[in-house]
Each structure stands twice: as structure tokens, then as C-alpha cells.
Amino acid sequence: MSRSPGRKQENHKISRELFVLTYGALVAQLCKEYEKDEDVNACLDRMGYSIGIRLIDDFLARSAVKKCRSYSETVDMIAQVAFKMYLGVTPSVSCNSVTGNEFSLILDKNPLVDFVEELPAERASLCYCNLLCGVIRGALEMVHLAAEVSFLQDRLKGDAVTEIGITFLRKPEDRRHRR
């Protein structure tokens, strides 16, 4: 039997929609279980962290990327390869510091919120996509890069864009000729 050429793309879209709907149901359930948005945010971050520490192996195996030599290369790899591979979007990257350790990923389109119009008024401090911050933090930690990752702006909260901030916590090490 032969497959039609458009079939794989159609299955990918269906599985992404299923993932987005399942994620929405997960966030809704967490909101029922926890009264405070901070607790939901922390739970999403922990879940994302657990995913990130496992997802990095899949990413490294499937992408065959070379070792990044700087924080800016690392963030470019996250934006151009990882986000494209797993979410089908490519955020733009900007450096937010002269020291070169603070970056922003700016998402024009966030597929996790495809079916979300706005957050309820009583959930104003909910960080709906906080799972992404945990995933990035967990993956970076597995390649020995400690970082703080948080949402700086969110379209669901009325901001113009969705922006994820990444701050690397250690200075890059010069490993040449060290003994």
C-alpha cells in the first residue's frame, strides 16, 4: 500500500493538536487542585524540568548538533533547532545584557495557547506555559548549564509578545590547557 505524500504532515498536526488540548486539560486540573497560581506555576515548572532532563537525550540524538561554545550559540540552538523540532515554531533571540548571559526568546506564535483565548480574571498571576521554562531549565542543567528561566511577557496577560527570559548563572569557563 502506498501512502499519500501529505499524510505525515496531517498526522503531525493532529498529534500537536492533541498535545495542546491535553496540556490545556492538565493546566485546568492543576487549577482545580491548587488554589494559588504560584502553586500551579511551581508544579508546571517541576513537570517541565522533569521533561527537560529526559528530552535532552532525544534532542541530542535526533539533531546531531555540535557542542556550543558560547551562551549565544546555546540560545540560538534552543530557538532554531529545539523549538522548531518540538513545537514547530522558531522564536527570535535577543541578548539582554552586556555580559552576554541574559537572553530572551520572543515567540510570535505559541502553539501551547492555540485553544486559549485569555486567562480568567481570578487566575491573573497564572503562568499558563510555565512548563516550557522548566523544560529549558532541565535540559540546560543536563548539559551542565545552570540557568534561571521565566516568562517576561505573555500574550495571555495582554502583553504584545510572549517572551521567555534565560539567565545563565555561571560565567563561561575557558577550558583550554587546564590541568
Side-chain angles (χ1 to χ4, degrees), residues 8-26:
K8 185 176 180 183
Q9 186 177 24
E10 181 181 310
N11 286 338
H12 175 70
K13 183 177 180 182
I14 291 170
S15 61
R16 187 172 94 178
E17 287 178 356
L18 179 61
F19 171 70
V20 170
L21 289 169
T22 303
Y23 182 73
L26 168 73

Side-chain angles (χ1 to χ4, degrees), residues 8-146:
K8 185 176 180 183
Q9 186 177 24
E10 181 181 310
N11 286 338
H12 175 70
K13 183 177 180 182
I14 291 170
S15 61
R16 187 172 94 178
E17 287 178 356
L18 179 61
F19 171 70
V20 170
L21 289 169
T22 303
Y23 182 73
L26 168 73
V27 175
Q29 183 62 39
L30 290 174
C31 287
K32 288 179 185 175
E33 291 178 14
Y34 296 102
E35 290 180 25
K36 296 179 182 177
D37 291 344
E38 294 77 21
D39 294 337
V40 176
N41 294 342
C43 186
L44 288 170
D45 183 74
R46 282 191 310 272
M47 293 170 89
Y49 179 83
S50 294
I51 292 168
I53 62 175
R54 290 167 180 81
L55 194 64
I56 190 68
D57 289 331
D58 179 68
F59 172 75
L60 293 172
R62 289 178 54 199
S63 66
V65 298
K66 60 180 175 58
K67 182 178 179 179
C68 297
R69 303 254 180 239
S70 67
Y71 290 147
S72 65
E73 279 185 36
T74 302
V75 174
D76 285 340
M77 193 64 59
I78 292 168
Q80 296 173 6
V81 181
F83 266 78
K84 182 71 172 172
M85 184 184 296
Y86 294 107
L87 293 176
V89 297
T90 305
S92 58
V93 176
S94 66
C95 182
N96 298 338
S97 71
V98 293
T99 58
N101 71 325
E102 295 179 22
F103 297 87
S104 286
L105 298 174
I106 300 167
L107 295 155
D108 292 327
K109 185 175 190 302
N110 182 353
L112 289 182
V113 298
D114 280 351
F115 302 109
V116 180
E117 291 181 21
E118 63 183 26
L119 294 175
E122 65 274 7
R123 293 291 184 174
S125 60
L126 175 68
C127 195
Y128 183 83
C129 296
N130 213 38
L131 183 97
L132 292 176
C133 294
V135 169
I136 294 168
R137 189 172 54 84
L140 287 172
E141 189 171 300
M142 292 308 292
V143 292
H144 307 290
L145 294 172

